Structure formats: structure tokens, C-alpha cells
Amino acid sequence: MATIEHGVETGVSFALTDEQRSLRELAREFAAKEIRPKAAEYDEHQTHPADLVAKAHELGLMNLHVPESLGGLGLSTFEGILVGEELNWGCSGIGTSIGANGLGAGPVIIAGSEEQQAEWLPPLLEEPLLCSFGLSEPEAGSDVVKLKTTAQRRGDEYILNGSKTFITNAGHAAWTVIFAKTDPDKGHKGISAFIVPMDTPGVELEEHLDKMGQRSTDTSAFALTDVVVPVANRIGEEGEGFKIAMQTLDFTRPGTAAGAVGVAQAAFEYAVEYAKERVTFDVPIAMHQGVNFMIADMATEIEAARLL
Ligand SMILES: Cc1cc2nc3c(=O)[nH]c(=O)nc-3n(C[C@H](O)[C@H](O)[C@H](O)COP(=O)(O)OP(=O)(O)OC[C@H]3O[C@@H](n4cnc5c(N)ncnc54)[C@H](O)[C@@H]3O)c2cc1C
């Protein structure tokens, strides 16, 4: 059977390169040795995994897409997916905290000027700084064009007002890319993107949101009140924010899907382990055909999802 592990003799090969395999093994080892032992406790207490973020940073498991010209690894979405699946196999909350710089820095990598990239990306490599992606609002999730945050130009500055919610790592981020309306009458063409340091006066963290799952990743809400942002922090031209947001999501959402595959793989492994251990009618339940069917279906669906 052709899997992502084994290439096929003819046709399309899904074989990984040696580098990709090493990267995936590094992520799996980190997930097994560092993430898993802390996953339950951090999840229960909604602990932001700063210690694990720092360790992942040291190992080179963060900021994978920062260009080589700036000292990064310049890896593709695919390598990000390989790492993301393994980290989320360890714990999807902790994995999300570690991986979210890809989303936060995405707009700068995709559409930032050379000056912006040189200013904002190298510090992410130097120390375990976090950055966030500030798109969602209380009344604008899937339908992001409904966002209400505004950015009014005043000379060489913009004044931002509004609020953001569900923003990963925002409570611990050094900076966030904020999407705001520069021209509310122009729909998706009236949205622009700005790099906003989170210690700018007027940025006020409102809440670390309580969640049912992924509890160890910080998902925060914050308000923006007369936040002054220099024009130099606008990414791209006015009106390009929606396009930049969608390009960033195109680049990073496959990683979110791969994270779900990691969670499914972990659930599968726990199920197999339990099925071998639990005895009914004098045999492990894995010996009952009905249980086997379910395990086989899980394995099939996970492999199919991974190959997507
Ligand atoms: C853990 C977590 C982390 C997040 N991190 C970030 C982040 O870092 N930055 C950020 O900006 N946002 C973030 N978000 C927000 C996320 O992007 C939004 O939750 C998402 O866009 C959906 O928006 P919503 O929750 O408002 O749902 P809604 O848009 O209100 O949707 C509600 C339901 O309706 C369905 N629906 C909506 N429109 C349609 C349609 N046209 N057809 C059919 N069904 C539809 C949706 O699928 C969903 O099931 C995060 C969310 C979570 C849960």
C-alpha cells in the first residue's frame, strides 16, 4: 500500500526526503518526551505552555517558514504539516501554541516589505517570541468581511479602534497582525493589515477564553482603543488586507487539518492499546470482529485524511 512513508515504484510517490523524515522524527520525539507528559495537566488548568514553546524554539520546531535570507529555514507548507501533525499528536492545545507563529507571521512572510520582514521576523528566531493573527471578531468569523475594527489614517499614522476575539496566543504575543477597515464602504476591498506590538497603548487584553478543548493554547479577546500605528506597519497597500488574510489562511489551514490528523492518530493508538488490554468473554476485545471493524475503519480514514 502506498503511504506517506513508502514511495511506490511507479506513479506518484509520497515518499519523504531524508530531511523531511528527520524533521518529522524530531517533532515526534519532542511530542512524546516533552509534550505528552504535560498535556493532561496543562489542559486541565489551561496553562500556557511557555516552557514547551521555549524548548520547541530551541530545537528549531518553530518559525519554520521564515525565509533563509533572514536566517530561517524557509520550509514549505508541507514540512509545516509534518511537524504540525506530530506536535498535535502530542497535544493539540500545546501543538497549536507552538505552531501558531506560522499563522501570526504569515502575513509578514507572504506580503511584508523587505524592511518589515527584516524588522519583525529575525527576532522570532532569536528568542521564543510569539506573534498572533488578529482577524476574527465577535461578529465576524467565517464572514470576515463583517469585521468592524477600523483604521483611520491621520498623517503618517493610523488610529485603530475595535475588538478581536479567538486570537491564538494573543495574551502572550509580542505583536499581532490586525485586520481593520480603512474604507468601510468597500467591503472586502476596504480591509487593510497592520503589525501592532501588543504593548502599544490602547491595546487591552480582555479575556483568556475558556474552551472545551485545546485548553492549553491561549485563545484571547482584546480591545483596541485609539491605538496609534505608524504607516510603516501597514502590510501591503490599503485594501489588500482581505487578500493577505486569505493567502495566509491558504498557507496555514492545511496545517490545522494536519493537526486534526495528529489527534486522530493519537486516538487510534489509544484505542488499539485499550482494545488489546481490555478483556471480555476471556479474550482481549481486539479479538472481537466488531471491534476490529471499527479499528480498521479508523486506520483507513486516518490514512486517507493524511494523504489529502
Ligand atoms: C481554538 C481557536 C483558535 C483560533 N485562533 C484564531 C486566530 O489566531 N486568529 C483569528 O483571527 N481567529 C482565530 N479563531 C477564530 C476562527 O477563525 C473562527 O472561529 C472561524 O473563522 C469561525 O468563525 P465563528 O467561530 O465566528 O463561527 P461562525 O462564522 O459564526 O460559524 C458558525 C457555524 O456556521 C457555519 N457556517 C458559517 N458560514 C457558513 C456557510 N456559508 N455555509 C455553511 N456553514 C456555515 C460554520 O462552519 C460554523 O459551524 C480561532 C478559533 C478557535 C476555536
Side-chain angles (χ1 to χ4, degrees), residues 274-289 291-292:
Y274 182 72
K276 285 182 182 165
E277 175 191 300
R278 175 73 178 167
V279 173
T280 67
F281 302 97
D282 300 326
V283 290
I285 59 171
M287 301 301 286
H288 301 306
Q289 199 177 30
V291 174
N292 273 335

Side-chain angles (χ1 to χ4, degrees), residues 186-198:
K186 280 198 180 161
H188 72 280
K189 292 198 171 152
I191 297 173
S192 305
F194 303 90
I195 304 164
V196 180
M198 291 301 276

